[in-house]
Amino acid sequence: QVSLVESGGDSVQAGGSLRLACGISGAEYSGSYSMGWFRQAPGHEREGIAGIGSDGRVNFADSVKGRFTISRDIAENKLYLQMSSLKPEDTAIYYCAAVLGPGPLAWLLRQTTYRYWGQGTQVTVSS
């Protein structure tokens, strides 16, 4: 059973940076998984913001493009989300997700693509 645990959430000021991490356990080879970052703000639906396929291709939501990057360390079984130029509207609970295998780029930002989910980590950006 694959398990995901997010970490790195914090309270920061607008314009600041933060790096989230997602630890993956239970996978024979984490590089075989496509993975994504999602977030859910109060009163809003969960949205996909960044994804990386098992083939290494990445996709970003327009709301974070140019400010956030996604990367992975397969040897360490870690997924990262580097966030910069943070805005108050980035305040949300951030979740990582995983699914075995590759897929079209557009699928990387869809909730229904993913089978495994973490519990989330809170990011709060103050103005």
Side-chain angles (χ1 to χ4, degrees):
Q1 179 72 11
V2 173
S3 178
L4 307 175
V5 178
E6 302 92 339
S7 62
D10 205 346
S11 296
V12 298
Q13 290 194 327
S17 298
L18 206 57
R19 187 176 80 158
L20 304 183
C22 173
I24 310 141
S25 62
E28 184 172 344
Y29 176 62
S30 63
S32 298
Y33 288 75
S34 294
M35 301 195 69
W37 285 100
F38 291 74
R39 68 184 181 187
Q40 187 166 18
H44 290 78
E45 293 187 356
R46 190 175 299 188
E47 64 168 334
I49 57 171
I52 182 166
S54 59
D55 57 3
R57 295 186 301 163
V58 298
N59 194 13
F60 296 92
D62 289 344
S63 59
V64 305
K65 201 169 292 183
R67 300 188 299 123
F68 292 9
T69 60
I70 187 171
S71 62
R72 65 197 305 172
D73 185 331
I74 295 172
E76 295 294 325
N77 292 321
K78 288 284 180 65
L79 175 74
Y80 298 101
L81 182 70
Q82 179 68 48
M83 306 184 292
S84 60
S85 302
L86 283 163
K87 306 174 182 179
E89 50 263 44
D90 294 319
T91 295
I93 299 175
Y94 284 70
Y95 301 88
C96 65
V99 65
L100 184 63
L105 274 180
W107 290 10
L108 294 177
L109 301 183
R110 296 180 186 173
Q111 292 189 64
T112 53
T113 295
Y114 295 94
R115 178 175 180 183
Y116 306 101
W117 291 83
Q119 293 301 305
T121 187
Q122 176 71 48
V123 173
T124 303
V125 184
S126 58
S127 57

